[in-house]
């Protein structure tokens, strides 16, 4: 059963930066682009991560350090065992002439999407953005890929500015409008992509994150307000239609207790 | 008349199928989704006086025959939950059952009072039987008939006109005796059973328990026979309506609990094994079944597996 826990040894670790690494693991499961796995670090915790590439016998996850779990994970070495459950959720649709838009670590699931599109001989353009060069995993690989355009806020690599600055150029440069826009990254970026896609009447599929525990749609942790959609089962990739049923965009997400933090920050004393 | 409608402690459920506590139960929107999928009542996640993040993950572990869970009573707190219940009631006419817990006997009464000061659910469900907080709270209150009865009394004293169901566990010498004690203390219904055990699964390679809490309650297909037997025993001992819960994923499972004496049937893990469609699927099966049997309601099936039930019910 794929949903049950299986532990595997880490085969290889690629350190993109001290705070950004890719783990190569035995291929005990087949994930579609955008699907995720639950990664168990025995004795620590278990958290969701997208699959960022695969090979005949391996799968990869790419992890950015943001807190206690990811920091512990980044200290793991080849031979250490991780538990895996999954794959969970629904992935991106594989569509010719896709426009991929990634922000920071959001480029990880897009990497598997680009891989699948290439395997099927489907054309795509990939706008890969980050705050700075150091936040882009697989920089070398991205720079070699003619379908990729790079953007950094500080201009340390690629075009200066956000992926959204590249949006209009990308639309103008492609002979036919994209058949599907696929996005992954921070939520404000995703909501901007959604707006832009709506303006240009383009179909979108965007990868969202919420606090998740079970991965199988039971614990209720990642249910979105409005339609009650379970992001771990019916997401994490959402279509425009799915997004329309959701009323919580722009609100601070519910935490591990299920409580949504107050919208207005507490008044600070002068 | 709707042939699937049942009455639990004076409350009409349009279907006997109830969303069990702890599954998709943290927000109004997710409860609404389950109501729309065909549940006749929905139960919130158990909430207590204070917000709890619950145990670290893994908290939930599917295996071949069921599921272990050690969520650790993660909940936003009664005040937040009251807000979710109010929103649900504004959006759905399906009865909502508010599940509460306490770390101490007194906290159950306080949680009931705090909740009911803000909102009026169709029923209160008193979770005296969570099996995965033992390291923190000690053994579940449900293991002790006298403690369960005292808690029932404390909640009843605060509940006013809202009927109270007590949620029981098999982690006790006789679930029927606990039910009897709760009935004597004023319980209006019994929900049985909570997840069982607790159990443990160990990863052979890393040689440690997989659940962060080490142990977790067992639910799903593996516990259906235990739930059927528990409902059977309770039905022979107390005259209260029973929300029979445990291992239901197929229509025949629900029917077994009804034949053992349940008025309504809770579904938790079945939402995973059967998908959200589980409610609609079992509803249509039951409607067809009644039609084929020429029955106008589920009444004739309730407890029908008991031999000479009418005499025994008062003696058990
Ligand atoms: C579907 C999905 C796919 C993801 N894919 C990747 C990926 O490919 N690479 C990557 O580096 N990160 C990914 N993440 C995010 C990753 O799960 C979090 O960075 C990680 O859980 C943080 O844990 P922490 O203890 O290091 O940080 P914390 O300090 O605990 O939290 C930092 C941030 O991560 C969020 N977070 C913490 N725990 C969870 C949780 N259980 N579920 C969801 N969010 C959580 C917090 O809300 C907070 O915003 C993904 C998240 C989701 C939901
Ligand atoms: C993930 C999960 C969380 C649960 N949380 C609660 C809870 O908060 N309160 C409660 O009374 N029961 C809780 N339960 C127990 C269920 O309500 C139910 O009694 C039990 O799982 C047996 O039914 P099932 O086999 O249909 O799941 C939980 C069960 C699961 C699987």
């Amino acid at each position: 059963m794929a949903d049950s826990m299986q532990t595997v040894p880490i085969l290889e670790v690629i350190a993109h930066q001290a705070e950004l690494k890719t783990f190569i693991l035995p291929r005990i499961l087949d994930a579609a682009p955008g699907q995720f796995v639950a990664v168990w670090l025995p004795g620590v915790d278990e958290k969701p991560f997208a699959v960022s590439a695969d090979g005949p016998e391996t799968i990869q996850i790419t992890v950015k350090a943001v807190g206690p779990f990811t920091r512990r994970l980044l200290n793991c070495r080849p031979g250490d065992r991780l538990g895996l459950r999954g794959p969970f959720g629904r992935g991106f649709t594989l569509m010719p002439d896709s426009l991929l838009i990634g922000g920071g670590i959001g480029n990880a699931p897009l990497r598997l999407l680009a891989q699948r599109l290439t395997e099927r001989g489907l054309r795509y353009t990939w706008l890969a953005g980050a705050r700075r060069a150091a936040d882009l995993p697989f920089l070398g690989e991205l720079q070699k890929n003619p379908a990729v355009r790079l953007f950094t806020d500080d201009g340390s690599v690629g075009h200066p500015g956000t992926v959204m600055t590249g949006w209009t150029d990308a639309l103008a440069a492609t002979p036919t409008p994209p058949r599907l826009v696929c996005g992954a990254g921070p939520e404000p970026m995703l909501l901007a992509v959604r707006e832009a896609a709506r303006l240009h009447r383009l179909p979108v599929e965007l990868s969202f994150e919420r606090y998740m525990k079970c991965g199988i749609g039971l614990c209720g942790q990642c249910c979105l307000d409005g339609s009650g959609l379970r992001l771990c089962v019916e997401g994490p990739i959402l279509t425009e239609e799915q997004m329309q049923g959701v009323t919580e965009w722009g609100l601070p997400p519910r935490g591990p207790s299920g409580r949504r933090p107050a919208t207005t920050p507490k008044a600070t004393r002068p | 008349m709707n042939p699937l409608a049942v009455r639990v402690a004076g409350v009409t459920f349009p279907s006997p199928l109830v969303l069990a506590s702890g599954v998709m139960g943290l927000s109004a929107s997710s409860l609404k989704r389950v109501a729309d999928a065909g549940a006749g009542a929905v139960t919130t996640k158990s909430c207590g006086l204070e917000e709890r993040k619950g145990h670290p993950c893994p908290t939930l572990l599917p295996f071949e025959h069921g599921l272990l869970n050690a969520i650790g009573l993660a909940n936003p707190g009664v005040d937040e939950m009251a807000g979710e219940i109010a929103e649900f009631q504004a959006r759905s006419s399906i009865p909502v059952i508010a599940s509460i817990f306490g770390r101490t006997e007194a906290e159950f009464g306080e949680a009931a009072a705090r909740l009911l000061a803000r909102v009026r659910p169709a029923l209160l469900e008193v979770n005296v039987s969570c099996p995965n907080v033992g390291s923190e709270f000690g053994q579940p209150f449900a293991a002790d008939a006298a403690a369960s009865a005292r808690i029932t009394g404390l909640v009843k004293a605060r509940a006013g006109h809202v009927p109270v169901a007590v949620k029981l566990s098999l982690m006790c010498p006789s679930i029927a005796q606990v039910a009897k004690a709760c009935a004597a203390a004023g319980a209006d219904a019994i929900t049985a059973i909570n997840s069982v055990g607790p159990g443990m699964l160990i990863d052979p390679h890393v040689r440690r328990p997989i659940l962060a809490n080490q142990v977790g309650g067992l639910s799903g297909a593996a516990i259906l026979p235990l739930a059927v037997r528990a409902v059977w025993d309770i039905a022979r001992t107390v005259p209260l309506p029973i929300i029979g819960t445990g291992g239901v994923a197929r229509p025949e499972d629900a029917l077994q609990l009804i034949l053992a004496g349940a008025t309504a049937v809770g579904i938790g893990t079945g939402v995973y094994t059967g998908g959200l469609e589980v409610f609609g699927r079992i509803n249509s099966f039951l409607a067809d079944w009644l039609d084929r049997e020429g029955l106008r309601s589920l009444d004739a099936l309730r407890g029908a597996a008991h031999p000479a039930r009418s005499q025994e019910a008062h003696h058990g």
Side-chain angles (χ1 to χ4, degrees), chain B residues 108-152:
Chain B
F108 279 91
E110 287 169 42
R114 279 252 295 271
L115 186 84
L116 295 176
R118 298 195 49 188
V119 74
R120 195 191 155 119
L123 268 100
L124 263 185
E125 186 172 276
V126 187
N127 175 10
V128 288
S129 48
C130 183
N132 67 50
V133 286
S135 56
E136 201 181 336
F137 299 4
Q139 69 169 358
F141 298 100
D144 177 350
S148 303
R150 284 194 300 273
I151 291 169
T152 305

Short mmCIF file of all heavy atoms in Angstrom, two decimals, chain B residues 108-152:
data_model
loop_
_atom_site.label_atom_id
_atom_site.label_comp_id
_atom_site.label_asym_id
_atom_site.label_seq_id
_atom_site.Cartn_x
_atom_site.Cartn_y
_atom_site.Cartn_z
N PHE B 108 -14.66 19.11 31.28
CA PHE B 108 -15.76 18.75 30.37
C PHE B 108 -16.95 19.68 30.57
O PHE B 108 -17.54 20.17 29.61
CB PHE B 108 -16.21 17.29 30.63
CG PHE B 108 -15.34 16.26 29.97
CD1 PHE B 108 -14.26 15.72 30.65
CD2 PHE B 108 -15.60 15.82 28.69
CE1 PHE B 108 -13.45 14.76 30.06
CE2 PHE B 108 -14.80 14.86 28.08
CZ PHE B 108 -13.72 14.33 28.78
N GLY B 109 -17.28 19.93 31.85
CA GLY B 109 -18.39 20.82 32.14
C GLY B 109 -18.12 22.23 31.66
O GLY B 109 -18.98 22.88 31.06
N GLU B 110 -16.88 22.69 31.88
CA GLU B 110 -16.52 24.05 31.45
C GLU B 110 -16.56 24.17 29.93
O GLU B 110 -17.02 25.18 29.39
CB GLU B 110 -15.12 24.42 31.93
CG GLU B 110 -15.02 24.68 33.43
CD GLU B 110 -13.56 24.78 33.86
OE1 GLU B 110 -12.75 25.41 33.15
OE2 GLU B 110 -13.23 24.18 34.91
N ALA B 111 -16.07 23.13 29.25
CA ALA B 111 -16.05 23.18 27.78
C ALA B 111 -17.49 23.24 27.25
O ALA B 111 -17.80 24.01 26.34
CB ALA B 111 -15.31 21.97 27.21
N ALA B 112 -18.37 22.43 27.86
CA ALA B 112 -19.78 22.43 27.44
C ALA B 112 -20.38 23.82 27.64
O ALA B 112 -21.04 24.38 26.76
CB ALA B 112 -20.57 21.38 28.23
N ALA B 113 -20.11 24.41 28.82
CA ALA B 113 -20.69 25.72 29.13
C ALA B 113 -20.17 26.79 28.17
O ALA B 113 -20.94 27.61 27.65
CB ALA B 113 -20.37 26.09 30.58
N ARG B 114 -18.85 26.78 27.95
CA ARG B 114 -18.26 27.78 27.05
C ARG B 114 -18.82 27.68 25.64
O ARG B 114 -19.11 28.67 24.99
CB ARG B 114 -16.73 27.61 27.00
CG ARG B 114 -15.98 28.21 28.17
CD ARG B 114 -15.20 29.48 27.76
NE ARG B 114 -14.15 29.23 26.82
CZ ARG B 114 -12.90 28.90 27.16
NH1 ARG B 114 -12.57 28.79 28.44
NH2 ARG B 114 -11.98 28.72 26.24
N LEU B 115 -18.98 26.43 25.18
CA LEU B 115 -19.49 26.23 23.82
C LEU B 115 -20.94 26.68 23.72
O LEU B 115 -21.32 27.43 22.82
CB LEU B 115 -19.37 24.75 23.44
CG LEU B 115 -19.74 24.44 21.99
CD1 LEU B 115 -18.54 24.68 21.09
CD2 LEU B 115 -20.23 23.02 21.82
N LEU B 116 -21.74 26.23 24.69
CA LEU B 116 -23.18 26.49 24.61
C LEU B 116 -23.52 27.95 24.88
O LEU B 116 -24.60 28.42 24.54
CB LEU B 116 -23.95 25.56 25.55
CG LEU B 116 -23.83 24.08 25.16
CD1 LEU B 116 -24.52 23.20 26.19
CD2 LEU B 116 -24.36 23.81 23.77
N ALA B 117 -22.58 28.68 25.48
CA ALA B 117 -22.81 30.11 25.65
C ALA B 117 -22.78 30.82 24.30
O ALA B 117 -23.30 31.91 24.15
CB ALA B 117 -21.74 30.70 26.58
N ARG B 118 -22.16 30.19 23.32
CA ARG B 118 -21.99 30.86 22.02
C ARG B 118 -22.83 30.27 20.91
O ARG B 118 -23.11 30.94 19.91
CB ARG B 118 -20.52 30.81 21.60
CG ARG B 118 -19.61 31.54 22.57
CD ARG B 118 -18.25 31.79 21.98
NE ARG B 118 -18.36 32.39 20.66
CZ ARG B 118 -17.33 32.57 19.86
NH1 ARG B 118 -16.13 32.20 20.23
NH2 ARG B 118 -17.49 33.12 18.67
N VAL B 119 -23.20 28.98 21.04
CA VAL B 119 -23.84 28.33 19.91
C VAL B 119 -24.70 27.18 20.43
O VAL B 119 -24.48 26.68 21.53
CB VAL B 119 -22.75 27.85 18.92
CG1 VAL B 119 -22.02 26.63 19.44
CG2 VAL B 119 -23.29 27.60 17.54
N ARG B 120 -25.70 26.78 19.63
CA ARG B 120 -26.55 25.69 20.05
C ARG B 120 -26.52 24.56 19.02
O ARG B 120 -27.31 24.54 18.08
CB ARG B 120 -27.98 26.19 20.22
CG ARG B 120 -28.86 25.23 20.98
CD ARG B 120 -30.31 25.63 20.90
NE ARG B 120 -31.11 24.44 21.09
CZ ARG B 120 -31.98 24.28 22.08
NH1 ARG B 120 -32.21 25.25 22.92
NH2 ARG B 120 -32.64 23.14 22.19
N PRO B 121 -25.60 23.59 19.21
CA PRO B 121 -25.54 22.46 18.29
C PRO B 121 -26.75 21.55 18.48
O PRO B 121 -27.44 21.65 19.50
CB PRO B 121 -24.26 21.73 18.69
CG PRO B 121 -24.06 22.08 20.13
CD PRO B 121 -24.63 23.46 20.31
N ALA B 122 -27.01 20.66 17.53
CA ALA B 122 -28.14 19.74 17.64
C ALA B 122 -27.93 18.76 18.78
O ALA B 122 -28.87 18.39 19.48
CB ALA B 122 -28.33 18.99 16.32
N LEU B 123 -26.68 18.33 18.96
CA LEU B 123 -26.32 17.43 20.05
C LEU B 123 -24.93 17.80 20.54
O LEU B 123 -24.13 18.37 19.78
CB LEU B 123 -26.22 15.98 19.56
CG LEU B 123 -27.44 15.05 19.62
CD1 LEU B 123 -28.07 15.00 18.25
CD2 LEU B 123 -27.00 13.66 20.02
N LEU B 124 -24.66 17.44 21.79
CA LEU B 124 -23.29 17.51 22.30
C LEU B 124 -22.79 16.08 22.37
O LEU B 124 -23.52 15.20 22.82
CB LEU B 124 -23.29 18.05 23.72
CG LEU B 124 -23.01 19.52 24.00
CD1 LEU B 124 -22.96 19.71 25.52
CD2 LEU B 124 -21.72 19.99 23.37
N GLU B 125 -21.56 15.86 21.92
CA GLU B 125 -20.98 14.53 22.09
C GLU B 125 -19.79 14.66 23.02
O GLU B 125 -18.91 15.51 22.81
CB GLU B 125 -20.55 13.94 20.75
CG GLU B 125 -20.07 12.50 20.85
CD GLU B 125 -19.85 11.88 19.48
OE1 GLU B 125 -20.82 11.38 18.88
OE2 GLU B 125 -18.70 11.90 19.00
N VAL B 126 -19.78 13.84 24.06
CA VAL B 126 -18.75 13.95 25.08
C VAL B 126 -17.73 12.85 24.84
O VAL B 126 -18.00 11.67 25.03
CB VAL B 126 -19.39 13.80 26.48
CG1 VAL B 126 -18.36 14.08 27.55
CG2 VAL B 126 -20.56 14.77 26.62
N ASN B 127 -16.54 13.27 24.41
CA ASN B 127 -15.49 12.30 24.08
C ASN B 127 -14.69 11.97 25.33
O ASN B 127 -13.74 12.66 25.67
CB ASN B 127 -14.60 12.87 22.97
CG ASN B 127 -13.42 11.97 22.65
OD1 ASN B 127 -13.36 10.83 23.11
ND2 ASN B 127 -12.49 12.48 21.87
N VAL B 128 -15.10 10.90 26.01
CA VAL B 128 -14.38 10.46 27.21
C VAL B 128 -13.40 9.35 26.86
O VAL B 128 -12.87 8.68 27.73
CB VAL B 128 -15.35 9.95 28.31
CG1 VAL B 128 -16.11 11.11 28.94
CG2 VAL B 128 -16.32 8.91 27.76
N SER B 129 -13.15 9.16 25.54
CA SER B 129 -12.52 7.91 25.13
C SER B 129 -11.36 8.05 24.15
O SER B 129 -11.04 7.10 23.45
CB SER B 129 -13.60 7.02 24.51
OG SER B 129 -14.38 7.76 23.57
N CYS B 130 -10.69 9.21 24.10
CA CYS B 130 -9.58 9.33 23.15
C CYS B 130 -8.42 8.43 23.59
O CYS B 130 -7.92 8.57 24.69
CB CYS B 130 -9.09 10.77 23.01
SG CYS B 130 -7.79 10.89 21.76
N PRO B 131 -7.99 7.51 22.70
CA PRO B 131 -6.96 6.55 23.10
C PRO B 131 -5.53 7.00 22.86
O PRO B 131 -4.61 6.26 23.15
CB PRO B 131 -7.29 5.35 22.21
CG PRO B 131 -7.79 5.97 20.94
CD PRO B 131 -8.50 7.24 21.35
N ASN B 132 -5.30 8.21 22.33
CA ASN B 132 -3.93 8.55 21.96
C ASN B 132 -3.34 9.72 22.73
O ASN B 132 -2.37 10.33 22.30
CB ASN B 132 -3.81 8.73 20.44
CG ASN B 132 -4.57 9.94 19.93
OD1 ASN B 132 -4.42 11.04 20.45
ND2 ASN B 132 -5.37 9.75 18.90
N VAL B 133 -3.94 10.05 23.88
CA VAL B 133 -3.37 11.11 24.71
C VAL B 133 -3.02 10.58 26.09
O VAL B 133 -2.93 11.32 27.06
CB VAL B 133 -4.33 12.33 24.82
CG1 VAL B 133 -4.34 13.12 23.52
CG2 VAL B 133 -5.74 11.90 25.17
N GLY B 134 -2.82 9.24 26.16
CA GLY B 134 -2.57 8.57 27.43
C GLY B 134 -1.34 9.10 28.15
O GLY B 134 -1.35 9.24 29.38
N SER B 135 -0.27 9.42 27.39
CA SER B 135 0.95 9.85 28.05
C SER B 135 0.73 11.20 28.74
O SER B 135 1.44 11.56 29.66
CB SER B 135 2.08 9.95 27.03
OG SER B 135 1.71 10.81 25.98
N GLU B 136 -0.28 11.92 28.29
CA GLU B 136 -0.54 13.25 28.83
C GLU B 136 -1.69 13.24 29.85
O GLU B 136 -1.61 13.85 30.91
CB GLU B 136 -0.93 14.15 27.65
CG GLU B 136 -0.76 15.60 27.84
CD GLU B 136 -1.21 16.33 26.57
OE1 GLU B 136 -1.19 15.71 25.49
OE2 GLU B 136 -1.60 17.48 26.68
N PHE B 137 -2.79 12.53 29.50
CA PHE B 137 -4.01 12.60 30.32
C PHE B 137 -4.20 11.35 31.20
O PHE B 137 -5.13 11.29 31.98
CB PHE B 137 -5.27 12.69 29.44
CG PHE B 137 -5.37 13.89 28.55
CD1 PHE B 137 -4.35 14.82 28.44
CD2 PHE B 137 -6.51 14.10 27.80
CE1 PHE B 137 -4.46 15.91 27.59
CE2 PHE B 137 -6.63 15.19 26.95
CZ PHE B 137 -5.59 16.09 26.84
N GLY B 138 -3.36 10.32 31.01
CA GLY B 138 -3.65 9.05 31.67
C GLY B 138 -4.67 8.27 30.88
O GLY B 138 -5.02 8.65 29.77
N GLN B 139 -5.16 7.17 31.46
CA GLN B 139 -6.09 6.32 30.70
C GLN B 139 -7.41 7.06 30.45
O GLN B 139 -7.80 7.94 31.23
CB GLN B 139 -6.34 5.01 31.44
CG GLN B 139 -7.15 5.19 32.71
CD GLN B 139 -7.63 3.85 33.28
OE1 GLN B 139 -7.38 2.81 32.71
NE2 GLN B 139 -8.32 3.90 34.41
N PRO B 140 -8.07 6.73 29.32
CA PRO B 140 -9.32 7.43 29.01
C PRO B 140 -10.34 7.29 30.15
O PRO B 140 -10.40 6.24 30.80
CB PRO B 140 -9.82 6.71 27.76
CG PRO B 140 -8.67 5.98 27.19
CD PRO B 140 -7.71 5.74 28.31
N PHE B 141 -11.11 8.36 30.37
CA PHE B 141 -12.15 8.31 31.40
C PHE B 141 -13.11 7.15 31.15
O PHE B 141 -13.65 6.58 32.09
CB PHE B 141 -12.92 9.63 31.41
CG PHE B 141 -12.06 10.81 31.74
CD1 PHE B 141 -11.58 11.65 30.75
CD2 PHE B 141 -11.70 11.08 33.06
CE1 PHE B 141 -10.77 12.74 31.05
CE2 PHE B 141 -10.89 12.17 33.37
CZ PHE B 141 -10.42 13.00 32.36
N ALA B 142 -13.29 6.81 29.85
CA ALA B 142 -14.26 5.78 29.50
C ALA B 142 -13.89 4.41 30.06
O ALA B 142 -14.70 3.49 30.08
CB ALA B 142 -14.41 5.68 27.98
N ALA B 143 -12.64 4.26 30.53
CA ALA B 143 -12.24 2.99 31.14
C ALA B 143 -12.92 2.81 32.50
O ALA B 143 -12.94 1.72 33.05
CB ALA B 143 -10.73 2.94 31.29
N ASP B 144 -13.48 3.89 33.03
CA ASP B 144 -14.01 3.89 34.39
C ASP B 144 -15.48 4.34 34.34
O ASP B 144 -15.78 5.49 34.01
CB ASP B 144 -13.14 4.88 35.20
CG ASP B 144 -13.62 5.06 36.63
OD1 ASP B 144 -14.74 4.57 36.96
OD2 ASP B 144 -12.90 5.70 37.40
N ALA B 145 -16.37 3.41 34.65
CA ALA B 145 -17.81 3.71 34.54
C ALA B 145 -18.19 4.88 35.44
O ALA B 145 -18.97 5.76 35.04
CB ALA B 145 -18.63 2.46 34.89
N ALA B 146 -17.63 4.93 36.65
CA ALA B 146 -18.02 5.98 37.59
C ALA B 146 -17.57 7.35 37.09
O ALA B 146 -18.32 8.34 37.16
CB ALA B 146 -17.43 5.69 38.97
N ALA B 147 -16.33 7.42 36.56
CA ALA B 147 -15.83 8.69 36.03
C ALA B 147 -16.66 9.13 34.83
O ALA B 147 -17.02 10.31 34.70
CB ALA B 147 -14.36 8.55 35.64
N SER B 148 -17.00 8.17 33.97
CA SER B 148 -17.81 8.50 32.79
C SER B 148 -19.16 9.06 33.22
O SER B 148 -19.68 10.01 32.62
CB SER B 148 -18.00 7.27 31.90
OG SER B 148 -16.76 6.76 31.51
N ALA B 149 -19.72 8.46 34.26
CA ALA B 149 -21.02 8.91 34.76
C ALA B 149 -20.91 10.32 35.36
O ALA B 149 -21.76 11.17 35.13
CB ALA B 149 -21.55 7.93 35.79
N ARG B 150 -19.84 10.56 36.11
CA ARG B 150 -19.67 11.90 36.70
C ARG B 150 -19.55 12.97 35.61
O ARG B 150 -20.15 14.04 35.69
CB ARG B 150 -18.42 11.94 37.60
CG ARG B 150 -18.61 11.27 38.96
CD ARG B 150 -17.48 11.63 39.92
NE ARG B 150 -16.16 11.23 39.44
CZ ARG B 150 -15.61 10.03 39.66
NH1 ARG B 150 -16.26 9.10 40.35
NH2 ARG B 150 -14.40 9.76 39.20
N ILE B 151 -18.78 12.64 34.57
CA ILE B 151 -18.61 13.60 33.46
C ILE B 151 -19.95 13.82 32.76
O ILE B 151 -20.32 14.96 32.45
CB ILE B 151 -17.53 13.10 32.47
CG1 ILE B 151 -16.16 13.17 33.15
CG2 ILE B 151 -17.55 13.92 31.18
CD1 ILE B 151 -15.05 12.46 32.40
N THR B 152 -20.69 12.75 32.55
CA THR B 152 -22.02 12.87 31.93
C THR B 152 -22.88 13.84 32.75
O THR B 152 -23.53 14.74 32.20
CB THR B 152 -22.72 11.49 31.86
OG1 THR B 152 -21.86 10.58 31.18
CG2 THR B 152 -24.05 11.59 31.13
#
